[in-house]
């Protein structure tokens, strides 16, 4: 089978989020649509700074399914909704984990 070099690869991955609540956490998940950045594109971001990380997440997160608001209504993907999601610190790491695991094909273990 031949390898197909895709110009702008995109993929979906499940994102598991632990939302802080009174006395613990609530587990939730959604399906994120990511754009796979090239090495040169990814290296342009300072992922160790808050602003650089947010910019990186804006570049890779291009859609989603399964995100709802406080009332349970579906939140459609938009730049403003994406920025609100990325601004939640408890969502940033799960987004990175989902993206990186999909990019390297890793499976989570115990």
């Amino acid at each position: 089978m031949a390898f197909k070099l895709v110009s702008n690869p995109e993929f979906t991955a499940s994102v598991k989020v632990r939302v802080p609540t009174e006395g613990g956490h609530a587990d939730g998940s959604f399906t994120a649509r990511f754009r796979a950045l090239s090495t040169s594109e990814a290296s342009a971001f300072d992922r160790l700074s808050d602003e650089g990380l947010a910019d990186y997440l804006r570049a890779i997160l291009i859609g989603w399914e399964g995100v709802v608001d406080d009332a349970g209504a579906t939140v459609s993907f938009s730049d403003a909704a994406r920025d609100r999601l990325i601004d939640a610190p408890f969502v940033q790491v799960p987004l990175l984990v989902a993206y990186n695991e999909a990019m390297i094909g890793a499976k989570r273990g115990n």
Side-chain angles (χ1 to χ4, degrees), residues 3-83:
F3 170 73
K4 184 176 182 180
L5 183 59
V6 179
S7 297
N8 293 302
E10 297 179 2
F11 60 91
T12 59
S14 178
V15 179
K16 295 178 179 155
V17 181
R18 297 194 76 202
V19 180
T21 61
E22 286 295 324
H25 293 86
D27 293 328
S29 66
F30 65 97
T31 301
R33 182 147 197 84
F34 293 109
R35 178 177 164 256
L37 298 185
S38 67
T39 302
S40 57
E41 288 173 310
S43 67
F45 296 93
D46 175 12
R47 289 169 272 176
L48 297 179
S49 74
D50 290 340
E51 185 177 332
L53 177 58
D55 288 342
Y56 180 72
L57 292 172
R58 281 185 200 97
I60 64 171
L61 182 60
I62 60 170
W64 64 49
E65 291 179 11
V67 176
V68 297
D69 64 16
D70 293 336
T74 298
V75 176
S76 297
F77 184 85
S78 67
D79 289 348
R82 178 204 59 211
D83 291 349

